[in-house]
Amino acid sequence: MRNIAVFGVSGRMGQMLVREIDAHPKATLSAAVDRPGHGWIGQDLGQVMGVAARGLTVTDDIGAALAASDVIIDFTAPAATLALAERAADSGVGHVIGTTGFDDDDIAALAKIGAHGHIVRAGNMSLGVNLLVTLARQVAGALGEDYDIEIIEAHHRHKVDAPSGTALMLGEAVAEGRGVVLADMADRARDGITGARRDGAIGFHAIRGGDFIGEHDVVFAGPGERVTLRHVASDRALFARGALRAALWLEGREPGEYSMLDVLGLSAG
Ligand code: NAD
């Protein structure tokens, strides 16, 4: 059995993770954590989730949660995840990071922590999206620069970051397929008299509204034809199942910062 703590337990993903862990024969929920001051702290987890009391109190005590766990699953916010990564690595506890919205400095800091910690980080934990990432890399390499690439994503009205972590994963993949650096080619906002499209640009567009769980299109618009790769998530449990799979996969690994492509055996090379 693996003892798994959920950070951000009151959130959309946190609650989904509790259900997936409860249903898994090889996983036990070892701690339920949320931010200090959250209304769930000190309450029985079952009761606040609207089911029967289960004798596990929601806590903001990170030290106690780490001490009780082999691995933690974290869908919170960038600052919380960064602080936690250092402590998890120092405690020898695996860290599955679903949080998105990191800037370049955050990503560098996590890579550094990954030298001695055990991290799986992915902007999207689904099998389909990770497969799409490998396909997008291949298609970008095969079609070449005559085909303009635009990445369009749609998410629910509560999402706080844009482009989505998944859109950025797809952007990195197409940039890699073309042999360019995403930061040099990304066009993230167009408004007003922008001039004609920059050669080789990789465009991003974010729709926010309603209850979209997550939709991503990678459009390759060429002379006389368009190719579109599309993924539609229709159940948030998909991401929770992927995160749980990553948490179980980490057992016995060497220190490192892994991706979902590693977990799913889809890594290049
Ligand atoms: P949410 O706002 O519903 O939940 C976030 C939770 O984190 C809340 O319960 C909040 O109280 C808690 N939190 C904030 N700061 C904390 C701290 N310091 N310590 C402990 N808990 C803290 O959001 P959500 O929809 O569940 O998404 C959370 C994150 O996961 C976002 O970054 C989102 O983009 C990302 N996400 C990733 C994937 C993926 O597959 N990688 C899928 C869905 C969402």
Side-chain angles (χ1 to χ4, degrees), residues 111-146:
K112 206 167 156 202
I113 295 167
H116 66 289
H118 295 77
I119 294 175
V120 176
R121 183 173 67 82
N124 192 303
M125 301 272 175
S126 94
L127 173 60
V129 157
N130 284 280
L131 198 56
L132 196 75
V133 165
T134 62
L135 292 174
R137 186 187 298 118
Q138 278 175 16
V139 174
L143 292 179
E145 287 226 352
D146 278 355

Side-chain angles (χ1 to χ4, degrees), residues 200-215:
I202 298 170
F204 288 90
H205 310 274
I207 295 168
R208 292 290 176 269
D211 58 359
F212 282 101
I213 290 176
E215 303 194 4

Side-chain angles (χ1 to χ4, degrees), residues 2 70 94 118 246-255 258:
R2 295 287 278 167
D70 301 308
H118 295 77
L248 298 171
W249 178 88
L250 262 181
E251 185 173 11
R253 301 279 157 193
E254 293 296 315
Y258 298 97

